[in-house]
Amino acid sequence: DAGVIQSPRHEVTEMGQEVTLRCKPISGHDYLFWYRQTMMRGLELLIYFNNNVPIDDSGMPEDRFSAKMPNASFSTLKIQPSEPRDSAVYFCASRRAQGTYEQYFGPGTRLTVT
Amino acid sequence: AQSVTQPDIHITVSEGASLELRCNYSYGATPYLFWYVQSPGQGLQLLLKYFSGDTLVQGIKGFEAEFKRSQSSFNLRKPSVHWSDAAEYFCAVDHMEYGNKLVFGAGTILRVKS
């Protein structure tokens, strides 16, 4: 299995620009999670989906952040407009609905907003 | 509120020495418990998990963890550390009462002295 795929791996953008991060979960996984990791705040859950439906977005920092999952094999996290404080590593993870509930993480996207 | 505590931010051990990383959680009932490892610039990799049954669980890379209900702990151990074990280690908890989410500890950075 290919594992969770994220793109791009690195993104550098200027403040005010729109940023779109992409994720392809493991085939057959029903849940998809978006996390943000920073030195100050550690790992934070932003939002998660079950069967393409957003279930809990309470971790999304503000309206500048939005996430979609148009089908079972693709999700996006969009930041518009971006700000320097959004600089972080963003991880996508997925897991099955049944079984042992472990999440499988992608390699992450390192976002730098200047 | 539910929480996961990793009391040690940094730990340094000599190569070949034994290792124990501490993890405590605050939940009413036994949750699902996980340890993940993150090497620099990488995503999180699952080391091991506990759901029920034998309280001593074996994982990859020679790691094991013991669940102690009375102490609400799930400490990670390795009898002999290798230089390649230098990484950050995260304890995580998934409890159905709080949604299908992983709650992570703050992480412990392991340094290995040669």
Side-chain angles (χ1 to χ4, degrees):
Chain A
D1 210 334
V4 176
I5 299 172
Q6 291 188 246
S7 64
R9 293 295 310 276
H10 302 273
E11 177 80 41
V12 180
T13 190
E14 292 183 347
M15 182 174 64
Q17 298 297 306
E18 176 181 301
V19 175
T20 299
L21 311 181
R22 297 172 177 80
C23 175
K24 177 179 169 57
I26 294 172
S27 177
H29 282 194
D30 308 281
Y31 284 84
L32 184 140
F33 304 81
W34 281 101
Y35 293 88
R36 178 172 68 176
Q37 186 179 38
T38 61
M39 290 290 291
M40 292 298 297
R41 300 174 68 89
L43 267 166
E44 304 173 275
L45 176 66
L46 300 177
I47 185 171
Y48 78 91
F49 296 82
N50 180 21
N51 291 326
N52 315 335
V53 176
I55 303 300
D56 185 347
D57 65 355
S58 60
M60 296 285 262
E62 49 197 273
D63 292 345
R64 297 185 296 107
F65 286 68
S66 62
K68 295 182 180 179
M69 192 166 185
N71 57 63
S73 59
F74 184 66
S75 177
T76 60
L77 178 68
K78 184 178 293 186
I79 308 173
Q80 181 184 20
S82 58
E83 296 183 3
R85 60 191 169 125
D86 302 329
S87 297
V89 181
Y90 292 81
F91 289 103
C92 177
S94 69
R95 74 161 174 86
R96 297 183 188 281
Q98 304 298 328
T100 52
Y101 302 110
E102 64 264 33
Q103 294 182 19
Y104 294 87
F105 283 76
T109 296
R110 180 173 295 278
L111 173 65
T112 303
V113 183
T114 61
Chain B
Q2 67 276 23
S3 67
V4 180
T5 302
Q6 293 181 247
D8 303 306
I9 298 174
H10 297 96
I11 282 186
T12 301
V13 300
S14 298
E15 192 168 15
S18 63
L19 170 70
E20 182 170 32
L21 303 182
R22 296 181 290 165
C23 174
N24 293 92
Y25 62 90
S26 61
Y27 287 86
T30 301
Y32 301 140
L33 300 160
F34 306 86
W35 276 99
Y36 285 84
V37 60
Q38 184 180 28
S39 297
Q42 304 296 315
L44 278 73
Q45 181 184 20
L46 180 69
L47 282 176
L48 46 77
K49 60 194 180 228
Y50 173 80
F51 297 103
S52 63
D54 192 348
T55 57
L56 184 64
V57 293
Q58 303 297 320
I60 63 171
K61 305 185 180 187
F63 285 91
E64 65 179 27
E66 186 172 12
F67 168 61
K68 292 186 177 180
R69 186 189 309 274
S70 62
Q71 299 176 19
S72 296
S73 69
F74 188 56
N75 294 348
L76 182 71
R77 302 195 294 246
K78 187 169 184 177
S80 178
V81 170
H82 188 263
W83 65 266
S84 61
D85 294 324
E88 188 162 16
Y89 292 80
F90 293 91
C91 181
V93 168
D94 185 334
H95 198 289
M96 296 299 288
E97 286 187 19
Y98 301 103
N100 298 288
K101 303 187 285 191
L102 281 179
V103 176
F104 283 89
T108 298
I109 296 173
L110 173 65
R111 299 191 179 109
V112 181
K113 293 190 301 184
S114 58

